[in-house]
Amino acid sequence: MAKKKGQTIVKIYQDWCKGCGICVTFCPSGVLRFNNQGKAEVAHEEECINCGFCEVHCPDFAILVQPKNETGSRKNQTESMKVPASAEDSMNPSNEEIS
Amino acid sequence: MAKVTQLIHNYLRHTKKFPHVFCPGCGHGIVLGSLIRSVHAQGIPKDDIVLVAGIGCSGRIPVYVDFNTVHTTHGRALTFATGIKLANPKLKVIVIMGDGDAMSIGGNHLMHSARRNIGLTALVLNNHIYGMTGGQSSSTTPFGCYSTTTPFGQMEKEFDIAEITKACGANFVARATVMQANLMDRLISTALINPGFNLVEVITPCHTQFGRKNKYKTTVDMYKWLKKNATPIEKYVDMPPEKKKEVVSTGVFSHKDCAGLEERYAQMRQNLNGGAA
């Protein structure tokens, strides 16, 4: 767990965020902020120290913090975890199809 | 730190509607995440886990996870779990209860499960109120706090779940707040592998029903209070009595490893059969 800044990618699934503000308030380096819809968004990704607080304390599993330098399968992982945009669709972030 | 969320997604039932039903800022989601991480860390297969829940907000948790799940009647989650454990002792039975479920209507069952020391893992999600039914005061509402049924302040003293369970003889009793996710992970992991009755009480804020009536303006204020007032039990015992009322003690209250009821039962059967299995 490197404490250097700017080593991570922070992603927020807007569809799952309820805007409770835990991540925004308790982030030690002010990475996140509210957008105009009242949900969390990433403002200063370069400030992230990868403490992982927001990831484990998000009640809605909406935050993903990943190291940048794991180049191998990182892109695929984040792509496969994207939540479908259509709200009525059953949420299926992983690529494994559920019949 | 990565892959934590990915891991949780692997355990969710994606045919259910997400985001889940809990209010914004409800701690139940954090407990669910912690439970999944602990189960994964112990390497227990999904099929070996039975998640039993009673009625209340906490009863919604098993809906979202891909274990064997039972949603039972109010307060009787522990009795169903006792039956499941004795019928098939190989299963890991996890019981999720709210404070009303565990202490009010099912208080008797909790005491006797602890006394029997049956091999269950009980998670009590204590939000100090009956959240789902409209914010009535429960048996864990702190003295002087306001709720729908106590508009001038609660006049009764509250239960201390961890102390009661410890006094009843449970093997492992611990308490954490949802602000201490890493401590909660450790406690639930221990509770999963320890034999006998293991109870982890989690203090989780209910802003919708409790916080708004008790001068917490936002959800985050309740989390700030938890962060400020959570005290390790080692420090807590040395504090002066008037300060003890204002803080929440967290940590391990009791840790024994006596054999559970199902082990003693198997042993008894073996003895009565003359040594044969």
Side-chain angles (χ1 to χ4, degrees), chain B residues 205-217:
Chain B
C206 176
H207 183 254
T208 309
Q209 300 290 5
F210 186 80
R212 289 189 305 169
K213 295 188 179 65
N214 288 283
K215 302 198 176 86
Y216 296 99
K217 282 196 174 158

Side-chain angles (χ1 to χ4, degrees), chain A residues 40-53:
Chain A
E41 71 171 8
V42 182
H44 306 287
E45 195 175 53
E46 70 282 356
E47 293 288 313
C48 177
I49 56 168
N50 196 15
C51 67
F53 180 93

Side-chain angles (χ1 to χ4, degrees), chain B residues 27 59 68 70 84 94 131 142 163 188 198 220-221 244 249 252 272:
Chain B
N68 306 297
V70 193
I84 293 167
I94 303 167
E163 290 293 345
I188 297 179
N198 307 297
V220 168
D221 286 346
K244 279 186 183 179
S249 52
V252 180
L272 293 178

Side-chain angles (χ1 to χ4, degrees), chain B residues 74-113:
Chain B
H74 192 196
R76 314 298 179 230
L78 278 167
T79 59
F80 281 83
T82 304
I84 293 167
K85 185 71 184 179
L86 280 179
N88 190 351
K90 289 194 191 87
L91 295 172
K92 278 269 174 218
V93 185
I94 303 167
V95 190
I96 297 188
M97 294 172 292
D99 53 326
D101 217 14
M103 285 322 300
S104 302
I105 189 165
N108 211 354
H109 300 306
L110 182 77
M111 284 197 284
H112 286 285
S113 302

Side-chain angles (χ1 to χ4, degrees), chain A residues 1 15-16 18 20-22 25-26 50 52-53 55 57 59-61 63 65-67 77 81 90-91 93 98, chain B residues 1-6 8-9 14-15 18-20 22 24-26 29-30 33 37 178-179 181 220 223-224 227:
Chain A
M1 203 195 278
D15 286 357
W16 286 31
K18 288 176 188 160
C20 61
I22 297 173
T25 317
F26 291 105
N50 196 15
F53 180 93
E55 197 168 16
H57 285 86
D60 299 288
F61 319 127
I63 304 181
V65 183
Q66 278 194 317
Q77 269 178 15
M81 288 197 54
S90 67
M91 291 299 178
I98 296 162
Chain B
M1 217 53 230
K3 294 181 187 163
V4 175
T5 310
Q6 166 91 64
I8 290 172
H9 283 282
H14 289 288
T15 47
F18 275 95
H20 49 53
F22 304 120
C26 177
I30 305 176
R37 285 194 299 274
V178 285
M179 272 305 283
V220 168
Y223 282 87
K224 279 182 182 161
K227 192 179 183 187

